[in-house]
């Protein structure tokens, strides 16, 4: 099928600033799709059918699909492929049916105004997404660019920065970037107050850590104190080794079976862009704790299932990696996880009991994996002196599922 669907990026300066080819796609469209603001900027012709985005978005996308084969042009803000509608449309229809013509987006324009290297900032969006997504990006001297949900987002961001010890962070809010009414406001998070801005705004943040700031590493092995837990948590040192064995990769999906505090799933998602995970935990209070930890540590998209393996695994999508941290000695868990694992996927299982080790040995024989023992000791007070207090020794199995041989 020919490319019947076009996605044209426009800025606050309207159609006069877009390329001639993009203008032609707007002028010759049989159907124009966009928000009220986009259609007003385009000055849609009376003879053109117009569709305004509805909620949920899928309703309008279904309307677009019903017009397949007609000349449909979707108007988007800036670069449609940077947290934009172009991503959703390309997934639904395939790039073979779409022409996408971007213009400089908010992030490019902010960096041009501030002289920031775009490649060295962390871009994120809070448009239709939880504020918790901001948390993992906070670090001393980090520069962040944030697409806002509305005019109240800068206030909410300022409150979150202050609550996490980054109240001295500089904030510059740009309204209506690229248009004749462009403006900017500057301040610090702790002094931002109740001020509200225009709904169309982008926030530039220079993080400044105060003495009480929570400074967390970007690599696996967060402090145990970063988690709410009841003792059922993979300890920091063992967690770092475990995540290294699981090999978090962009876009891959993890099962965390017997999740406890959810630390493995959470750090898997923090470690790789677009990584996802499901935490399976049969204890309801712990499952609620996992959800709170995920929000606090910036991965609110973690799926939490209250249930017991292997039964709770039946309806799940095939994983790219599996961690078994609890319940390994229950019949069938290791085998079910290994069968479900995608070719090339990694299975890692930890045990601290003799029964768990026996299950690991049986799973090793079935998978051809390798086993190690991890022993860690931490300093502790012995009266007025200091000694070493060993943690429980952990036995770990790591196995990689082979790809099927051709033929």
């Amino acid at each position: 099928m020919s490319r019947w669907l076009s996605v044209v990026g426009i800025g606050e300066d309207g159609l006069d600033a877009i390329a001639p080819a993009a203008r032609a796609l707007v002028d010759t469209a049989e159907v124009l799709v966009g928000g009220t603001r986009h259609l007003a900027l385009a000055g849609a012709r009376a003879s053109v059918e117009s569709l305004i985005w509805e909620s949920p978005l899928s309703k309008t996308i279904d309307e677009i699909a019903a017009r397949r084969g007609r000349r449909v042009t979707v108007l988007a803000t800036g670069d449609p492929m940077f947290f934009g509608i172009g991503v959703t449309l390309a997934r639904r229809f395939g790039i073979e049916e779409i022409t996408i013509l971007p213009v400089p987006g908010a992030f490019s324009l902010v960096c041009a105004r501030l002289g920031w290297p775009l490649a060295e900032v962390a871009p994120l969006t809070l448009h239709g997404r939880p504020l918790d997504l901001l948390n993992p990006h906070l670090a001393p001297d980090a520069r962040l660019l944030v697409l806002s949900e509305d005019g109240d987002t800068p206030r909410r961001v300022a409150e979150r920065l202050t609550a996490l010890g980054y109240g001295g962070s500089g904030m510059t809010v740009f309204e209506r970037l690229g248009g004749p009414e462009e403006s900017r406001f500057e301040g610090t998070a702790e002094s931002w107050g109740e001020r509200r801005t225009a709904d169309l705004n982008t926030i530039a943040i220079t993080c400044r850590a105060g003495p009480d700031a929570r400074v967390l590493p970007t690599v696996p092995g967060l402090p145990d104190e970063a988690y709410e837990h009841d003792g059922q948590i993979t300890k920091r040192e063992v967690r770092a080794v475990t995540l290294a064995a699981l090999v978090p990769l962009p876009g891959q999906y993890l099962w965390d079976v017997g999740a406890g505090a959810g630390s493995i799933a959470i750090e898997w998602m923090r470690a790789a862009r677009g990584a996802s995970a499901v935490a399976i935990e049969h204890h309801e209070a712990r499952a609620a704790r996992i959800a709170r930890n995920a929000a606090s540590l910036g991965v609110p998209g973690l799926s939490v299932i209250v249930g017991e393996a292997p039964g709770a695994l039946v309806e799940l999508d095939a994983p790219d990696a599996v961690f078994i941290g609890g319940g390994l000695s229950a019949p069938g868990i290791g085998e079910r996880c290994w069968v479900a694992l995608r070719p090339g996927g990694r299975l890692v299982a930890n045990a601290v009991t003799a029964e768990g080790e026996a299950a690991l040995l049986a799973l090793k024989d079935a998978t051809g994996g390798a086993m190690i023992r991890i022993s860690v000791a931490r300093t502790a007070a012995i009266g007025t002196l200091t000694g070493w207090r060993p943690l429980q020794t952990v036995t770990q199995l790591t196995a990689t599922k082979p790809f099927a041989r051709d033929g």
Side-chain angles (χ1 to χ4, degrees), residues 344-357:
R346 289 81 59 200
L347 183 148
V348 178
N350 291 353
V352 296
T353 66
E355 292 80 5
E357 285 195 354

Side-chain angles (χ1 to χ4, degrees), residues 42-330:
R45 307 183 308 279
S47 59
V48 175
E49 181 185 5
S50 297
L51 297 177
I52 297 176
W53 290 112
E54 296 184 68
S55 180
L57 207 63
S58 58
K59 292 177 63 176
T60 307
I61 293 175
D62 289 341
E63 291 289 330
I64 292 172
R67 290 155 177 78
R68 190 185 235 115
R70 298 177 66 188
R71 294 188 303 277
V72 180
T73 295
V74 176
L75 302 175
T77 300
D79 186 343
M81 300 305 290
F82 209 152
F83 297 128
I85 190 61
V87 177
T88 302
L89 294 174
R91 287 174 179 159
R92 173 69 182 269
F93 299 109
I95 195 61
E96 299 80 10
E97 300 184 37
I98 306 177
T99 299
I100 301 175
L101 294 177
V103 296
F107 295 149
S108 295
L109 293 173
V110 168
C111 285
R113 304 293 188 267
L114 297 177
W116 287 7
L118 182 54
E120 297 176 13
V121 302
L124 60 151
T125 180
L126 296 178
H127 188 77
R129 305 186 189 191
L131 186 62
D132 295 323
L133 291 173
L134 182 69
N135 296 6
H137 298 279
L138 302 183
D141 302 321
R143 287 174 170 176
L144 316 179
L145 295 179
V146 182
L147 296 179
S148 289
E149 167 76 11
D150 54 31
D152 195 45
T153 304
R155 180 192 62 79
R156 294 169 57 228
V157 166
E159 289 180 351
R160 178 60 58 90
L161 288 167
T162 303
L164 295 179
Y166 288 85
S169 299
M171 291 177 51
T172 303
V173 177
F174 291 86
E175 296 180 339
R176 303 184 182 92
L177 271 163
E181 298 181 21
E182 177 179 321
S183 58
R184 63 197 276 183
F185 303 92
E186 298 181 347
T188 62
E190 59 195 1
S191 65
W192 195 262
E194 297 297 317
R195 106 176 68 165
R196 185 182 174 93
T197 65
D199 285 341
L200 185 63
N201 72 82
T202 305
I203 311 168
I205 303 169
T206 302
C207 292
R208 295 286 182 262
D212 58 342
R214 184 175 70 168
V215 179
L216 298 177
T218 58
V219 297
L222 300 183
D224 296 343
E225 297 76 25
Y227 293 92
E228 180 186 342
H229 65 88
D230 60 0
Q232 293 297 312
I233 183 173
T234 303
K235 299 301 189 289
R236 180 181 194 173
E237 298 84 355
V238 176
R239 194 182 328 126
V241 174
T242 301
L243 266 294
L246 285 167
V247 192
L249 295 173
Q252 292 204 340
Y253 171 55
L254 169 79
W255 288 359
D256 184 353
V257 182
S263 62
I264 295 295
I266 288 168
E267 295 191 35
W268 165 275
M269 291 181 66
R270 285 171 57 97
R273 183 182 293 273
S276 60
V278 57
I280 300 97
E281 173 55 56
H282 76 279
H283 194 288
E284 288 189 1
R286 287 179 186 154
R289 202 174 285 126
I290 291 169
R292 293 194 294 271
N293 284 332
S296 172
L297 293 167
V299 288
L302 173 63
S303 176
V304 182
I305 292 179
V306 181
E308 197 159 358
L313 309 177
V314 174
E315 301 295 328
L316 300 180
D317 293 335
D320 300 290
V322 176
F323 172 64
I324 307 174
L328 183 64
S329 56

